[in-house]
Each structure stands twice: as C-alpha cells, then as structure tokens.
Amino acid sequence: MYGGNIIAANETILEYTNELWTLNMSISFSVDLPPWEKLNEFEYTQRSESHSASIGGAEFKEMFIFGGHTSQYPPPANSMRIFDPTSETWRIPNSSPTRSFGHSAITSFNEPKIDFFGGGFNGKNNTTLLNDLVIYDSILNTWTKLTKNNSPAPIVRHTDTLLSDGKMFVLGGAFFENVYNFSSMSDIYVYDTFTGEWTRKVAVGDVPAARGLHTAVGTPNNTIIIFGGKENNAT
C-alpha cells in the first residue's frame, strides 16, 4: 500500500504521504489485528494520492505507481515510479505519458502489460477528463496509446476489472456535463483485450445507485464485487 492522504498532527488537515506498507496475505491473522509492516522511508519518492498501483516487471514482482495528485508543484513531468520489493529500492523509467489522477490500471494475466484507462489532468485553469486507453509494457518500458473507437466518454474515479475471459469491465465513475455527476451502474463498457474492441452492455435487476470512488474486484467465476463509493448529491 502506497501513499494517500493522512491526518496531519493537528488532526484537522489532510496531507499527502509517501508511506509504503506491506501486509503478508500468505499467513493467517486476526482481522482485528492485521500485521501491517511499514517499510523504510524513501524521501525522494513523491507524496501523492489518487494514483494507481499495479504489479508488473519480470515475474510480476515489481510495483508500478503512476500519476496522482502530488504535493510537489509543479509536479514531476515523469510520474511513474517502480518499486522492487526484493531490494527495497525505487527507480524512475525514462518516460511516461501526461500525469493523470483518478484513472484505473490493471495488469494482464499472462504478460506484464498494464492497461491505464481514463482519469483526468489539471491544466493551468481547468481539469480535463480523459478516455484514453494506454498500454504500458513493464519489461520493454514502452507506451502504446490505442484508438478510441466506441470507447466510453471521458471519465474519472471509475473502476476497471479484468476477468478470466480477457474482458475489462468499466464501472461507474464521474463525468462532466456542466457539473460533475456519477455514471449509472447499469451503463457498463467492456473492452476485449484479445480483439481490441469496446462494447456497451446494460445491466438489469437490482442495479446499485450511480457512484464513483468505489472499489471492485473480480472472482474466479467471473463475478464482479463492488464496495462503497460516493453517490450523486452525497456529502
């Protein structure tokens, strides 16, 4: 677990952090006392929130942090940071796309490629939302921006979930039409990582309220579980 916002010493102001914590999920533990371990401080790494964290690299053993809001201004042009847990060291690749926040990132099952979708970036006077799908090869350190045919509208703070059939499901998130609103959870966009095609599906049944800032995970039987988030008009 990396970064985020924490309560400052005066307990009233949120501040960015670059703390790095680990939790060993291979052992049994009480949920009341999870054995979190804080790693050594890494002062040069950026303090950020609303970034993404993905696995990749050789044998999927490295963590890739991309984008997010940062306390550094102006923010670094290159917003990718790579952590090697074996040596407990960070490195910075040669290049990265424009910094974004609130995007999603998923790693392919069979190859160390990370798919980044959507998000936003802050310009001098406004915020621009994105519907770019960019593929990062974490071995070759190359970026490939894919075409936008039939892709969702620009969106931020959504979730992407990759299922075993190679399809990536985009759920919820915020879009902008004069004001920010959260996308309907019945309106689902699916990207097929094998064919490179987007399709739109409409969910039925007891559909959750429109939301963003939620979390989502896929199960081995291709079910998606979502939790929490923020609804329209919620404070």
Side-chain angles (χ1 to χ4, degrees):
M1 180 177 69
Y2 176 80
N5 281 322
I6 59 174
I7 300 295
N10 60 13
E11 298 185 354
T12 60
I13 299 175
L14 291 175
E15 63 180 20
Y16 297 118
T17 181
N18 63 348
E19 291 180 351
L20 182 61
W21 294 76
T22 63
L23 179 63
N24 188 346
M25 302 298 292
S26 66
I27 62 174
S28 299
F29 58 83
S30 168
V31 294
D32 296 322
L33 293 170
W36 284 102
E37 179 184 357
K38 184 179 179 181
L39 299 187
N40 294 329
E41 297 286 348
F42 304 94
E43 287 302 325
Y44 88 93
T45 59
Q46 58 189 356
R47 299 170 183 268
S48 65
E49 58 92 16
S50 295
H51 51 266
S52 61
S54 311
I55 60 170
E59 301 180 5
F60 299 91
K61 290 184 177 180
E62 295 179 314
M63 180 175 70
F64 292 74
I65 302 295
F66 176 71
H69 294 300
T70 177
S71 56
Q72 181 178 338
Y73 187 83
N78 187 332
S79 61
M80 177 72 88
R81 301 291 186 271
I82 304 171
F83 180 71
D84 183 338
T86 302
S87 60
E88 294 192 5
T89 57
W90 288 89
R91 71 179 190 276
I92 303 174
N94 295 330
S95 64
S96 73
T98 302
R99 170 184 294 275
S100 64
F101 68 90
H103 55 274
S104 55
I106 57 171
T107 302
S108 300
F109 290 126
N110 299 320
E111 53 185 353
K113 294 183 178 180
I114 306 171
D115 297 1
F116 296 92
F117 177 72
F121 70 90
N122 295 322
K124 184 176 181 180
N125 299 312
N126 58 7
T127 298
T128 300
L129 301 189
L130 306 169
N131 65 343
D132 296 336
L133 178 59
V134 183
I135 311 300
Y136 176 67
D137 188 316
S138 63
I139 298 293
L140 301 178
N141 187 34
T142 57
W143 298 85
T144 304
K145 185 176 179 179
L146 303 186
T147 58
K148 299 182 180 181
N149 294 339
N150 302 316
S151 65
I155 200 164
V156 67
R157 303 193 186 285
H158 53 282
T159 57
D160 275 354
T161 308
L162 182 64
L163 299 184
S164 61
D165 59 1
K167 293 180 179 178
M168 179 182 82
F169 287 73
V170 178
L171 298 174
F175 62 93
F176 187 79
E177 290 181 355
N178 299 319
V179 295
Y180 280 101
N181 282 294
F182 292 119
S183 180
S184 170
M185 296 296 283
S186 66
D187 196 17
I188 300 172
Y189 279 84
V190 183
Y191 180 74
D192 190 319
T193 60
F194 295 118
T195 66
E197 296 180 348
W198 285 99
T199 56
R200 178 176 175 267
K201 294 182 179 293
V202 178
V204 296
D206 187 12
V207 179
R211 72 189 60 206
L213 295 162
H214 54 288
T215 56
V217 295
T219 68
N221 64 350
N222 286 339
T223 297
I224 298 175
I225 302 172
I226 67 166
F227 180 77
K230 185 176 182 179
E231 299 177 3
N232 287 322
N233 302 316
T235 56

